[in-house]
Amino acid sequence: MIIIITEGEKIIAMTDISSPHTEPVSTAHLFYIPFRITEVDSQVKELGRSERTGCSRIFVVLGGSGVLRIHEEPYEVSRGSIYLCDDFQKLDVTSHGLLKGVLIEYRRLGTADPDTGVLQCPEPLHGCPEKLLRQADELQKLWREPKLGGPFRIQQLFIELMNGLYEELASRERTGRSWLKQSVSFMEAHFVEDLTRDQLAERANVSPEHFSRAFRKYTGRTFNEYLTLLRIRGAQKRILTGSPDLNTLAHEIGYKEGAYLSRKFKESVGVSPTVYRGKSKRIAALNQNYTAILTALGITPELGVYTGWTEKIAGGPEIPEGQKFNPYGRTSASFYEAVAAARPDIIISYDTEEENRSLLPLAPVLELPFKTMSWREQFRMIADIVNKRREAEEWLALYDKRLIPINRQLDRQLGSRGTAAVWEIGPDKAYGFGSSHGRSCQILYDDIGFRPPERMLEQGLSWRGYVETSVEAIVQYAADHIFITSLPCDSHGRQRLMRLFRSPEWLALDAVRRRRVYLLDQPELFFGFDPLSSLEQLRILMNVLTPDHKFT
């Protein structure tokens, strides 16, 4: 037998006394009980507040039209309008004609949290499905005449209505987030223009008032606050990458004069643009390539992403654990919290990361388009940001100096370089890369003159950056040299690769017959697309291509 323990109208525990070893357990299950259903017509002027605390209400307009006042704010309602609220809100209704509706009051049982499971919306929903209206109308009739249905029909119909309302709210929230996301994206692309809240509300096809409420809930800021944030972050980025004079900068980000920009900048950042330009800055590098670039410039970021290889060259155990960041497998909240804890002045990230927008309140996010920028260009840009351009140019000059004897040696040994394919092999798929995705392709194709296989180019390697195929299909991408930078870690993947290596198709490849297949299998190192990784990749490539060459 089950005993239910209650506190007032709330179920707080249940126990099964048929078993002597059963302890009471708390429950998070919710139950919804209608306790009053009232017909509303044009004669009713005030719906008032509920007589019972801890309840919720559903007001459904079944016909006609009128004005629903919620805390004195008027909303036009008509057939298909539904409003969901708690017991505290005072509701008045004024009919334009033969307004007809139903007010349903219900209680929630089964949780100590009075807000859990509540269906609420800050303003009426319009154009609700006819099915919900029919259910509310039938519920009203059954409430007056219970004998019209079976003993459980009211409860069944009420739960069907609640479920329909829940799905309708969820659907509208998804749609609402869509226009909100589009509005925010539009602001980010056009913040230098003379934007207003009313303009964006009209674009979204919502009222200005609804736009303001939804926008603040979505972004945590008012429209004007968010617009100011975008403009100040834009000014910070321009200052970091070499800005013009203050008046020109003001016009570039949407303000009319430098004095106004300076005032808004100081309000947001805490210092003037001039002081900001010269002060040392705390940096969060949100991927291993940018951590390695900063390391090459002699800078340890306040927060950086390290692999075992980059950590070793950056100082190993000397790097405090609090400055090491693992971006993988985090929730959005924990990602934000970890970056916020570093208190960065600058955040450097790929331009494809979804988290970048959420980090905007913390600091300017410099998004580098790694697919269209070489590692050299990224190196120079980050060097400019940290005032280390001279050091970057010296480093690149030494790197290029190393390339001169290497290319002379390859000229003597190989002559025309021919083609090279670089593969990263997983359990089920193989990926071939272009020079924009690292894996030593930036060296093979850009620095020492190899070409990708023609088949890779035909499949969009130049614009996509990589090709994806099955492990067995790599034999279709014939090349003079084949480099494999990563092998499968699991036994199934390794067995599959061994079958490939024993297959007649593989053994017939020219690169295989001439012993020009190189199993490097150092994924951490070859993933790198930065100065330090490129230098080490170059050394390893030369060891396998020209074993007699002395790398200095």
Side-chain angles (χ1 to χ4, degrees):
M1 182 172 68
I2 303 293
I3 291 180
I4 300 177
I5 304 172
T6 65
E7 184 179 276
E9 295 175 337
K10 297 169 185 164
I11 298 174
I12 59 172
M14 294 190 300
T15 184
D16 183 354
I17 64 171
S18 60
S19 170
H21 305 294
T22 302
E23 301 259 339
V25 294
S26 62
T27 176
H29 295 295
L30 297 174
F31 302 91
Y32 301 89
I33 310 295
F35 66 84
R36 183 164 60 189
I37 299 178
T38 306
E39 183 178 4
V40 178
D41 57 28
S42 55
Q43 304 303 314
V44 176
K45 299 297 182 185
E46 182 178 319
L47 304 180
R49 296 183 175 86
S50 177
E51 295 177 1
R52 301 197 185 193
T53 58
C55 76
S56 297
R57 292 180 289 172
I58 305 169
F59 176 53
V60 183
V61 181
L62 302 175
S65 62
V67 175
L68 181 66
R69 290 188 175 274
I70 304 168
H71 292 313
E72 305 305 324
E73 187 171 351
Y75 293 89
E76 292 283 341
V77 293
S78 59
R79 177 175 171 80
S81 298
I82 298 179
Y83 182 58
L84 310 164
C85 64
D86 56 28
D87 58 317
F88 297 109
Q89 295 186 6
K90 182 176 182 295
L91 304 178
D92 299 322
V93 61
T94 302
S95 176
H96 291 332
L98 300 176
L99 185 141
K100 178 183 177 184
V102 55
L103 179 66
I104 303 167
E105 298 174 88
Y106 66 96
R107 296 193 300 270
R108 301 172 311 287
L109 305 179
T111 176
D113 182 354
D115 294 326
T116 303
V118 176
L119 296 181
Q120 291 192 63
C121 191
E123 59 186 56
L125 306 173
H126 301 293
C128 293
E130 286 292 320
K131 181 179 180 180
L132 297 180
L133 307 186
R134 290 195 300 269
Q135 289 171 335
D137 191 28
E138 183 180 352
L139 198 58
Q140 175 187 207
K141 293 173 181 175
L142 286 173
W143 194 263
R144 291 198 310 264
E145 298 289 340
K147 295 181 180 179
L148 293 176
F152 308 110
R153 179 57 183 160
I154 288 178
Q155 184 66 47
Q156 177 189 13
L157 192 59
F158 176 71
I159 294 303
E160 289 174 0
L161 174 64
M162 290 287 287
N163 190 58
L165 287 168
Y166 175 82
E167 292 176 352
E168 182 68 13
L169 280 171
S171 174
R172 291 186 184 224
E173 182 177 1
R174 288 191 295 270
T175 303
R177 285 187 175 271
S178 175
W179 70 256
L180 281 165
K181 186 175 181 180
Q182 291 173 13
S183 296
V184 171
S185 296
F186 184 84
M187 288 180 70
E188 290 170 349
H190 298 271
F191 66 84
V192 300
E193 301 172 13
D194 188 19
L195 297 182
T196 67
R197 178 200 66 167
D198 290 358
Q199 288 172 348
L200 266 71
E202 185 176 356
R203 281 179 56 86
N205 197 29
V206 297
S207 71
E209 294 75 21
H210 179 64
F211 181 92
S212 292
R213 284 188 292 268
F215 188 89
R216 184 161 192 166
K217 183 178 180 181
Y218 183 66
T219 66
R221 283 175 163 78
T222 66
F223 171 82
N224 286 330
E225 288 170 345
Y226 196 77
L227 183 59
T228 298
L229 178 68
L230 291 175
R231 288 174 171 171
I232 297 304
R233 293 293 184 246
Q236 289 176 286
K237 289 190 208 179
R238 288 290 284 118
I239 291 170
L240 291 168
T241 54
S243 67
D245 65 88
L246 202 57
N247 282 322
T248 302
L249 176 57
H251 286 101
E252 286 186 359
I253 64 163
Y255 291 135
K256 293 181 179 179
E257 57 181 18
Y260 185 75
L261 165 61
S262 185
R263 181 163 62 83
K264 299 297 288 185
F265 193 99
K266 191 168 184 178
E267 287 175 1
S268 298
V269 183
V271 295
S272 70
T274 303
V275 173
Y276 179 77
R277 181 183 283 109
K279 73 187 290 281
S280 61
K281 299 172 183 68
R282 300 167 64 90
I283 304 173
L286 301 191
N287 59 69
Q288 68 182 65
N289 290 326
Y290 301 152
T291 301
I293 285 176
L294 291 168
T295 300
L297 294 169
I299 295 173
T300 301
E302 296 301 321
L303 192 68
V305 177
Y306 296 89
T307 63
W309 187 82
T310 54
E311 184 176 346
K312 181 179 178 181
I313 61 172
E318 297 178 6
I319 303 171
E321 284 299 319
Q323 291 180 229
K324 300 174 188 177
F325 179 55
N326 180 4
Y328 305 107
R330 288 181 175 272
T331 64
S332 297
S334 68
F335 192 103
Y336 180 92
E337 289 167 3
V339 178
R343 297 181 292 109
D345 297 308
I346 309 169
I347 300 169
I348 309 176
S349 181
Y350 292 141
D351 64 336
T352 55
E353 299 300 329
E354 294 182 1
E355 294 85 1
N356 291 350
R357 178 182 290 165
S358 69
L359 299 175
L360 205 58
L362 298 176
V365 182
L366 298 176
E367 301 174 297
L368 275 63
F370 72 96
K371 292 182 181 179
T372 57
M373 290 182 73
S374 70
W375 66 270
R376 294 168 182 261
E377 291 171 318
Q378 295 179 59
F379 187 25
R380 287 187 171 105
M381 177 173 277
I382 292 176
D384 284 340
I385 292 166
V386 296
N387 298 315
K388 295 272 189 176
R389 182 61 177 263
R390 180 178 59 81
E391 291 86 340
E393 293 299 342
E394 290 174 354
W395 197 101
L396 290 170
L398 287 173
Y399 177 87
D400 289 336
K401 188 176 180 180
R402 287 187 176 97
L403 289 175
I404 295 172
I406 286 171
N407 277 307
R408 286 174 180 168
Q409 175 74 18
L410 291 173
D411 288 342
R412 291 192 295 269
Q413 183 172 319
L414 299 177
S416 176
R417 303 295 189 267
T419 56
V422 179
W423 293 101
E424 191 174 87
I425 302 176
D428 301 303
K429 296 287 184 181
Y431 299 89
F433 295 97
S435 58
S436 64
H437 278 62
R439 278 78 171 188
S440 76
C441 294
Q442 75 276 19
I443 300 166
L444 290 167
Y445 300 148
D446 296 342
D447 292 341
I448 57 178
F450 285 92
R451 306 185 314 277
E454 192 63 32
R455 184 177 176 84
M456 284 188 178
L457 293 173
E458 291 172 354
Q459 294 187 356
L461 182 72
S462 298
W463 59 267
R464 190 181 182 191
Y466 68 95
V467 296
E468 177 184 330
T469 188
S470 65
V471 174
E472 293 77 13
I474 66 175
V475 296
Q476 300 172 16
Y477 299 83
D480 299 314
H481 298 260
I482 298 174
F483 300 84
I484 299 177
T485 64
S486 179
L487 298 171
C489 297
D490 65 305
S491 59
H492 168 74
R494 288 188 175 270
Q495 290 171 8
R496 189 172 179 177
L497 187 60
M498 289 302 103
R499 287 196 298 270
L500 169 69
F501 287 167
R502 291 191 293 265
S503 70
E505 294 83 2
W506 175 263
L507 296 173
L509 290 175
D510 186 61
V512 177
R513 290 188 291 103
R514 300 181 68 178
R515 298 181 182 275
R516 290 179 170 177
V517 176
Y518 314 102
L519 298 180
L520 307 177
D521 195 25
Q522 297 186 58
E524 279 190 356
L525 168 61
F526 280 90
F527 181 84
F529 192 55
D530 61 79
L532 299 178
S533 298
S534 294
L535 182 62
E536 181 65 10
Q537 291 167 19
L538 177 63
R539 186 189 68 79
I540 291 173
L541 291 175
M542 290 306 101
N543 283 345
V544 298
L545 286 170
T546 60
D548 297 329
H549 177 78
K550 185 177 180 181
F551 188 84
T552 58

